[in-house]
Amino acid sequence: ASLLQAENFSVAAGTTIHCRLSQTLSTKLNFQNDPFTATVTEPLIVGGRQIIPVGSTLEGHIAWLIRPGRIRGAGEMRLDAEKVTFPDGRSFTVNAVLVNAYGAEGVKVVGEEGSLKGPTSRFKDIQEIGLGMGGGGFLGTVFGGFHGAVIGGAIGGAGALADTLRRRGKDLTLPTGTQLNYQLTRELLVSADAPRQTAAAAPVTTETIR
């Protein structure tokens, strides 16, 4: 085999790429199409050869995002991977789906497309409405016996419901360092003679320390 053939590798569909998120993402602060990056944390080995080294960068974007609603409050987002860039600058297109996410409280991966679903506030909302009913019932008992309790409970429950409806559920948040495991859905072809990217100068930014 020629040198070029010896340096070309194929990574089969179904192989998992392990990486960690490089920035925090949230349904509260981010928008659809925002970019994201993650750093590969485990080397991908094929036939005893390291194909994707640790420190490579997985890049993608937020394909869609839904903020948590009211009552049925669960934020959702999907992170689509686009390419992986090696430390030496070589970059390759990636077709992959998210299969696991660890390190983000209350977040789980659902569906065939690997969407992320945040914690739901539904049970908490039901509890709050129930407490409102209890409080209204107490006031109704003081001012009118049984019938007052029924009326007071309805008033209290309506107040708790109205208050709950004004608030959204807990946002889905993926903190920096969240473990993301992507599974290739198509074969990944890696070649030694792929063009190398030239690192651009980093823009000067001013960050406020809180």
Side-chain angles (χ1 to χ4, degrees):
S2 67
L3 179 62
L4 179 61
Q5 289 176 327
E7 294 180 342
N8 283 341
F9 295 93
S10 171
V11 183
T15 303
T16 301
I17 299 176
H18 302 269
C19 53
R20 288 190 181 276
L21 195 61
S22 302
Q23 70 283 309
T24 296
L25 300 178
S26 170
T27 53
K28 183 177 182 179
L29 300 176
N30 289 99
F31 299 92
Q32 185 172 326
N33 295 321
D34 278 357
F36 76 90
T37 60
T39 302
V40 175
T41 56
E42 296 183 20
L44 197 156
I45 308 295
V46 175
R49 297 288 299 273
Q50 178 176 268
I51 308 303
I52 301 180
V54 170
S56 298
T57 301
L58 184 76
E59 299 177 50
H61 71 284
I62 300 176
W64 58 266
L65 176 151
I66 301 175
R67 286 207 65 192
R70 296 171 173 86
I71 291 294
R72 300 179 64 183
E76 296 185 46
M77 70 169 68
R78 193 181 82 222
L79 304 179
D80 281 4
E82 297 172 343
K83 65 178 180 178
V84 60
T85 302
F86 294 178
D88 64 9
R90 286 180 295 159
S91 183
F92 303 94
T93 299
V94 169
N95 294 280
V97 62
L98 185 66
V99 291
N100 297 111
Y102 304 102
E105 182 181 359
V107 175
K108 59 183 178 180
V109 178
V110 298
E112 295 181 357
E113 295 183 329
S115 300
L116 291 154
K117 187 172 184 178
T120 178
S121 62
R122 187 180 305 173
F123 181 69
K124 179 181 177 182
D125 291 338
I126 292 173
Q127 285 182 313
E128 289 180 354
I129 294 171
L131 288 173
M133 286 289 290
F138 173 75
L139 292 176
T141 301
V142 172
F143 292 104
F146 174 76
H147 294 291
V150 173
I151 296 171
I155 294 173
L161 176 60
D163 180 64
T164 300
L165 288 175
R166 283 195 294 267
R167 293 172 293 162
R168 288 185 176 273
K170 186 175 182 180
D171 279 285
L172 183 163
T173 299
L174 303 174
T176 301
T178 298
Q179 178 75 39
L180 303 176
N181 296 336
Y182 279 89
Q183 188 175 76
L184 296 178
T185 56
R186 292 185 183 179
E187 179 185 39
L188 171 63
L189 299 176
V190 176
S191 62
D193 62 344
R196 286 167 168 75
Q197 295 182 350
T198 301
V204 177
T205 59
T206 301
E207 183 177 353
T208 301
I209 300 177
R210 299 179 180 177

